Every structure is written in structure tokens, then in C-alpha cells.
Amino acid sequence: MRLSTKQDVDAPLAQVWAIVADFDGWERAALRRGADVSRDDSHRQATVGTDWRLGFLYRGKPRKMQVQLTRLEQPQHIGLHFHSAALEGEAHIELIEMAARRTRLHVITEMKPLNLGARLYLQSLRFARNRVERKYHDRIAAFAHEIEQRARSPRR
């Protein structure tokens, strides 16, 4: 299943990149939401090949996922590969400078099932495709709005 959306952000490309590529911030956000996060490398900063192991509850069951940074081209592209017992997929984030203070955020997520349960789950999402795409779009729009707010606020 492939989901894709584009959002325009009222912030310069450099500021949007700094927020989107803040992997330490993403780790802290996941921890605040109750996930277990561990980085499987010795690098101080995330680089291509950096792995994260995630543990979280989804639909009342504990899940485990491994996420690997596969592409990091500053200031435009981030690629992630994720793998769990049931699903595997890719997420791509592309930033396009539209004007000096306007950036387009293009996010693509592709998922493939690895077992029958995941195949049935993705099939049910396909039946509700319009609702799923709307929720995906709304979540990315909320993230774009959050980026705008963070870009406007003074640095801490």
C-alpha cells in the first residue's frame, strides 16, 4: 500500500530541514509517547545506516520494529526503511524550496505485508482508502503546521 501527500510549509528550507532531520528529537518524542527506543550504532549523530529498535503498543499488543536510515541528503531527502514481524516498508521525505520562506514537504510511505494477518489488515485499509488517505494527509498537515510554529518561535 502506498500513501503520499504534499504540504506547503511557511518556513525556509534550512529551518524545515533542521526540524525534520532532528532524529534526537524524534527519539525523545517516541519516548514521551511510551515507546521503547534504542539506537543501534555508536555514532553521535544519525548517519546513513543508523538503526533504531522500537517497542510500542499498537491495538493493545506489544509490537517491535526496526527502522534504518537509508538516505540522508541535506537539505532535501530522508529515506527510512522499516521492518517488523508483520510489515516492511519505506518512508521518503522530500523537501522542495518553493520560495525564500516557503518549502514543500512531500511524504511517501509504502508498506508490504509479511504474513497473512498483515495482508488482511492492509486489505481492510484499502477498502477504507479514502478515510486512510484523509487521516494520513491530516496528520502530515498537522506536522507541517507544527514545523511552522517551531520555525516562528525563538530558539531555546
Side-chain angles (χ1 to χ4, degrees), residues 12 28 37 43-44 48-49 55 60 66 68 76 81 86 92-95 102 107 111 124 136 139 156:
R28 288 188 304 274
V37 179
H43 298 103
R44 186 154 171 80
V48 172
Q66 184 169 354
Q68 182 179 41
Q76 294 175 320
H81 175 80
H92 299 279
I93 300 168
E94 181 178 11
L95 301 176
R102 192 158 186 85
V107 182
M111 298 174 282
S124 70
Y136 182 80
R139 181 61 193 116
R156 294 182 224 168

Side-chain angles (χ1 to χ4, degrees), residues 15 44 49 52 60 116:
Q15 280 186 313
R44 186 154 171 80
W52 290 271
L116 183 60

Side-chain angles (χ1 to χ4, degrees), residues 141-153:
F143 177 57
H145 181 71
E146 181 183 325
I147 290 171
E148 288 175 358
Q149 297 302 318
R150 289 175 61 185
R152 282 189 201 124
S153 68

